[in-house]
Amino acid sequence: MVRGNEAGVQEDLVLPGSTEMGRLASLDLMTSKGGFAIHAEDRDGRGLLWRGASWERLRTAVPEPHTASLCALEDRLLGVVSGEVPRLRAWSFVGGEPATVVDLKESGATSLYCGTTRAYLLVENGKSRSLFAIDREGFRGPTHLDGQDEERGLTFATEEDTLWIGKLDFSGHPTLRRWPATSAAPEPWILLEERIEEGSSLDLMVIRSGTAPLAALVIEHHSDGADCKNGENFHTVAELLVFDLTKRSPIRSKMRLDSWLCGAEAGPFGGGASDRGIVVTWLQGVGSSCAKQGARYGGLAFLEVPLEGAVRSGKVEIPSLALLDLGCEGGSCGAVALPRGEGGECWASGDVRGDVPRWLSYP
């Protein structure tokens, strides 16, 4: 692992026991007010967890076997441990044995969504979806999401300690539901006043709370790609809709974000709430010359939609091996990159500047 600051000061850390793992299939970093946690899985299905209350504590963290999803609250980690009776467990950042929060009656694929002090657990078994809330008051649920929710897919997002659920209903309208942090159960679905063309999918949902609550939805759809030479016959177009949640109507017309040609995967998308409104980001591809030098991404594109005034678009151009959008907090938005160049120019392979993490701010 490598960390760095805006001045270019960096520090390396080798996690104890990590060199014994095979080639990694996934690597997740979780941070909160309480500390750090890293979860890695190799291609043989072996998973390890490291946790510590500080960066320095990670140096001596004892790796623990773990192969389930995790998320971080401000004071603890939560994860589901599979077995004959699946268990929701909690880990302290400071160490010690995990505690069992509850033995789950439902079994199936699990997803966790963490806020600050409250988390939500989704259990899917192929026939039904059950949703639970976990906070200092205990374990609430289940709320059963009906079979109609399976048809067009669901998207989940946490905004502080509130869970938001989004989908496109059978009529093609965006539909939202929320589970407030102070409530024992979710509120009813609300229909937004816009019809989305058939065949579209909901990719991202960003919520801005406050006196003027907004919801930003990234919608994808395919167009004909008969001219493609690689066997793929479609292009993907991503568009943005921003809704006034009080009026349940769009604050502007649909905005085109970008297109991905001949089967290329769109996104990934990110962003959050800015001082002016909502920001949505997406990664951009890199030119062939920089790709030969080890760059995977060309930079980060963004679109800021304010409550009032002109929409602002732009790019943070930086050829990068890795580029992680960190979203927005306190009105500021940022990302971190392992650069492989400056602006539109790429460095030679092995350039020492490529190992210095760089902080990027937007919009």
Side-chain angles (χ1 to χ4, degrees):
M1 291 183 60
V2 181
R3 72 170 179 174
N5 60 23
E6 295 182 40
V9 178
Q10 71 175 60
E11 185 179 3
D12 298 340
L13 183 153
V14 177
L15 293 167
S18 60
T19 55
E20 300 173 10
M21 299 189 75
R23 189 171 183 181
L24 293 184
S26 65
L27 181 65
D28 297 308
L29 169 66
M30 289 146 283
T31 64
S32 76
K33 183 179 179 180
F36 296 83
I38 297 95
H39 180 229
E41 289 191 21
D42 64 21
R43 294 188 174 183
D44 294 327
R46 182 187 180 194
L48 290 178
L49 168 67
W50 296 264
R51 52 186 165 124
S54 66
W55 173 268
E56 289 70 25
R57 291 286 183 89
L58 287 177
R59 295 187 181 280
T60 57
V62 177
E64 306 165 68
H66 187 75
T67 56
S69 59
L70 287 165
C71 71
L73 298 172
E74 67 175 7
D75 61 347
R76 55 182 170 157
L77 292 163
L78 291 175
V80 177
V81 178
S82 59
E84 186 175 339
V85 179
R87 290 179 174 176
L88 178 67
R89 309 202 82 180
W91 290 256
S92 168
F93 286 103
V94 299
E97 293 296 319
T100 297
V101 178
V102 69
D103 291 337
L104 299 174
K105 296 179 181 179
E106 288 83 354
S107 62
T110 59
S111 302
L112 278 163
Y113 306 92
C114 275
T116 304
T117 63
R118 197 183 214 214
Y120 298 86
L121 170 65
L122 178 68
V123 181
E124 305 177 78
N125 62 15
K127 296 181 180 179
S128 63
R129 294 179 176 183
S130 302
L131 189 62
F132 304 84
I134 309 101
D135 56 25
R136 295 188 181 103
E137 304 301 319
F139 190 74
R140 306 173 188 273
T143 290
H144 296 290
L145 302 176
D146 62 42
Q148 292 183 349
D149 295 329
E150 309 256 348
E151 188 69 22
R152 300 295 296 272
L154 298 175
T155 299
F156 297 84
T158 54
E159 189 271 325
E160 295 182 350
D161 275 341
T162 293
L163 179 72
W164 286 84
I165 311 169
K167 69 175 183 178
L168 301 180
D169 74 1
F170 287 101
S171 66
H173 288 85
T175 311
L176 303 183
R177 190 181 190 184
R178 69 172 191 152
W179 193 336
T182 56
S183 176
E187 296 176 344
W189 291 100
I190 61 171
L191 192 72
L192 302 179
E193 296 176 4
E194 180 77 13
R195 197 172 187 282
I196 309 301
E197 67 180 87
E198 187 176 351
S200 298
S201 61
L202 176 58
D203 189 282
L204 176 77
M205 175 172 55
V206 177
I207 303 296
R208 182 182 191 269
S209 59
T211 55
L214 302 176
L217 306 179
V218 174
I219 307 294
E220 292 183 19
H221 63 86
H222 293 158
S223 62
D224 179 59
D227 55 335
C228 295
K229 308 298 183 183
N230 62 352
E232 302 291 350
N233 61 355
F234 67 92
H235 308 311
T236 300
V237 176
E239 298 173 315
L240 178 67
L241 275 166
V242 180
F243 292 88
D244 180 325
L245 287 177
T246 302
K247 298 178 180 178
R248 304 184 183 182
S249 59
I251 65 171
R252 300 174 190 272
S253 300
K254 192 184 302 179
M255 293 158 279
R256 185 185 176 105
L257 297 178
D258 212 334
S259 59
W260 289 261
L261 304 180
C262 300
E265 186 176 353
F269 299 93
S274 70
D275 283 337
R276 301 174 67 224
I278 278 184
V279 184
V280 169
T281 67
W282 61 100
L283 296 181
Q284 295 203 301
V286 67
S288 58
S289 61
C290 282
K292 292 177 182 178
Q293 304 297 340
R296 295 179 60 196
Y297 307 106
L300 190 73
F302 65 83
L303 185 73
E304 182 182 35
V305 183
L307 287 166
E308 297 179 354
V311 173
R312 179 166 48 154
S313 62
K315 299 177 183 178
V316 180
E317 295 189 88
I318 180 168
S320 309
L321 171 65
L323 204 166
L324 176 64
D325 178 31
L326 300 177
C328 306
E329 185 173 347
S332 299
C333 308
V336 65
L338 283 178
R340 289 296 182 265
E342 192 83 48
E345 299 182 3
C346 56
W347 301 324
S349 180
D351 193 301
V352 294
R353 292 174 291 180
D355 293 326
V356 181
R358 182 172 301 179
W359 167 262
L360 312 172
S361 61
Y362 66 88

